Amino acid sequence: MELLYGPIRDYAWGSRSAIAQLQGRPVPSDGPEAELWLGAHPGAPATVDRDGVRVSLIDLLVAEPGHWLGEDVIDRFGPRLPFLMKVLAADAPLSLQAHPDAEQARAGYAVDATRTDGHRNYVDPYHKPELLVAVSPMEALCGFRDPVESAQVLAGFGVPALEPVVAALRAGPVGLRDAVRQLLTWPAAERAGLVRAVVTADVTSPDAELARALAARYPGDPGVLVALLLHHVKLAPGEAIWMPAGNLHAYLRGTGVEVMAASDNVLRGGLTPKHVDVDELLRVLRFEVLTDPVVRARAVAPGVVCWPVPVDDFALHRVTVDEGTPQVRLPLPGPRVVLCRAGKLAVDDGAGVVTLEPGQAAVGTAAAEPLVFTGEGEAFVATCGAF
């Protein structure tokens, strides 16, 4: 293993404490720190040390793809690291968003290469399913709930202008597309008044509270109302959210460890000042009820849990080393990225040992040696999924 140094993205919704505390730096940080990226995505690649010089992990993969990735990974994904691990720390809601499947990403990327309006939806030709594990209490909006339930919620605000949307939702899942389209294409001159009518209605409920909180940050944004069509999920530490392609979602607050296919393709659906391509979003969205977006941890060995997901781009495990389990041996295929979240751990992949403290990370090659953890603490391990 080698130490891996990840860049921090300073998006406006980021926390000024969570990542700094994790890494043992002064709090508050100088600015918002939203995401710590641990991978080889071109947008913000992590680096390793080479004789005192930080070298991009991308450059190492290009120079020695077989050594770092292995033939199985190259055959399946090409000469690229197919996953990206992050620490996500939100103090404010992210935009409503969805991600394309693999076919949509390839087609959209090809089309966007010819666009001249400056609004590119696709920055790479890859899909972006993602899994986020809460490490603090966390709130999110995840996937469509029963539209009949959403119809009752919107009708309860008593806003006559919303009656066509309510009628579409009462038709069940077949009306979801029309309901979302109506809200996102609402005449710009009338949006602020519509949202104001909802958030000032004399209604007391979690949904009304959510709408008011979102409208306080995004007044007049129709995403405030689209948000009410989604599951409002509150995660305890250790619980996870699985977001496959086409599911509308937004993280509202809290800190989690996230692993995803290495892509940055985002179709926004509101709660943002950025461009919303309604037609493309409607093409990508899956208008079906997501029964339960929460994934519970599954024990796979003493001191080891995982959160199973149906993709082979990535897998995520959590390792806990303590008095009861003083050593953990984890036979996972390479390449591997390890993030220490608590304590102090030595990690040996057969090629080298690194000692990690909270907020530090390491990367290992495609060598088949099991990871061996000793010390006392907790770490997350990202790898490719099963082949």
Side-chain angles (χ1 to χ4, degrees):
M1 301 295 287
E2 296 187 61
L3 288 173
L4 185 68
Y5 303 92
I8 294 174
R9 310 307 299 267
D10 60 351
Y11 308 134
W13 48 263
S15 169
R16 292 174 182 259
S17 60
I19 295 177
Q21 284 178 336
L22 175 66
Q23 296 184 328
R25 294 184 283 108
V27 173
S29 56
D30 292 338
E33 296 180 337
E35 295 179 345
L36 171 66
W37 283 31
L38 298 169
H41 190 281
T47 59
V48 298
D49 186 276
R50 286 291 182 270
D51 299 321
V53 177
R54 296 283 178 87
V55 178
S56 166
L57 186 56
I58 293 176
D59 292 340
L60 296 179
L61 298 181
V62 170
E64 299 181 281
H67 172 71
W68 283 96
L69 300 171
E71 294 306 317
D72 286 343
V73 171
I74 293 172
D75 289 346
R76 176 66 179 86
F77 302 102
R80 55 186 288 269
L81 188 65
F83 62 84
L84 173 62
M85 189 183 198
K86 297 180 180 180
V87 177
L88 183 147
D91 264 1
L94 283 67
S95 61
L96 284 171
Q97 57 191 266
H99 310 299
D101 63 27
E103 182 178 348
Q104 291 165 339
R106 285 191 296 269
Y109 184 68
V111 170
D112 272 8
T114 66
R115 294 185 70 152
T116 59
D117 60 5
H119 294 308
R120 293 196 65 173
N121 295 310
Y122 299 92
V123 297
D124 57 60
Y126 306 112
H127 69 164
K128 192 188 176 189
E130 56 191 39
L131 173 77
L132 182 138
V133 178
V135 296
S136 76
M138 197 160 189
E139 288 187 54
L141 302 170
C142 305
F144 291 112
R145 62 180 174 180
D146 184 341
V148 175
E149 180 182 347
S150 298
Q152 294 173 341
V153 169
L154 291 188
F157 290 107
V159 178
L162 283 175
E163 289 178 1
V165 179
V166 172
L169 292 170
R170 283 177 174 153
V174 296
L176 269 173
R177 178 187 292 272
D178 186 40
V180 173
R181 181 192 57 78
Q182 289 186 60
L183 291 173
L184 291 182
T185 59
W186 209 274
E190 301 173 13
R191 289 177 179 175
L194 177 67
V195 174
R196 189 181 308 113
V198 169
V199 300
T200 58
D202 187 16
V203 176
T204 302
S205 69
D207 294 289
E209 183 180 344
L210 173 64
R212 290 171 187 135
L214 294 176
R217 291 188 176 273
Y218 302 101
D221 190 319
V224 171
L225 304 183
V226 175
L228 300 180
L229 311 185
L230 306 177
H231 293 284
H232 184 191
V233 177
K234 297 183 179 181
L235 298 176
E239 292 183 321
I241 298 171
W242 159 241
M243 282 290 100
N247 277 274
L248 196 61
H249 63 284
Y251 304 121
L252 302 181
R253 61 181 61 83
T255 304
V257 172
E258 188 175 29
V259 63
M260 62 187 63
S263 169
D264 207 18
N265 285 324
V266 177
L267 281 302
R268 293 180 177 85
L271 307 182
T272 178
K274 296 181 180 179
H275 177 65
V276 176
D277 187 331
V278 176
D279 289 340
E280 187 63 15
L281 177 68
L282 294 177
R283 191 180 74 84
V284 165
L285 283 181
R286 296 171 61 178
F287 291 99
E288 56 191 39
V289 176
L290 186 62
T291 305
D292 184 5
V294 179
V295 181
R296 278 79 183 179
R298 177 187 298 175
V300 295
V304 182
V305 300
C306 73
W307 295 265
V309 292
V311 294
D312 58 4
D313 304 74
F314 59 80
L316 186 66
H317 292 74
R318 186 185 66 207
V319 172
T320 304
V321 183
D322 53 27
E323 291 183 0
T325 312
Q327 181 187 90
V328 171
R329 186 177 177 87
L330 195 57
L332 293 174
R336 297 165 285 197
V337 174
V338 178
L339 168 70
C340 180
R341 200 192 72 83
K344 186 175 182 179
L345 295 170
V347 189
D348 184 358
D349 67 349
V353 182
V354 296
T355 299
L356 300 177
E357 296 186 354
Q360 292 185 315
V363 61
T365 70
E369 293 289 328
L371 296 178
V372 179
F373 294 81
T374 55
E376 187 171 348
E378 178 183 277
F380 286 85
V381 184
T383 65
C384 294
F387 289 90

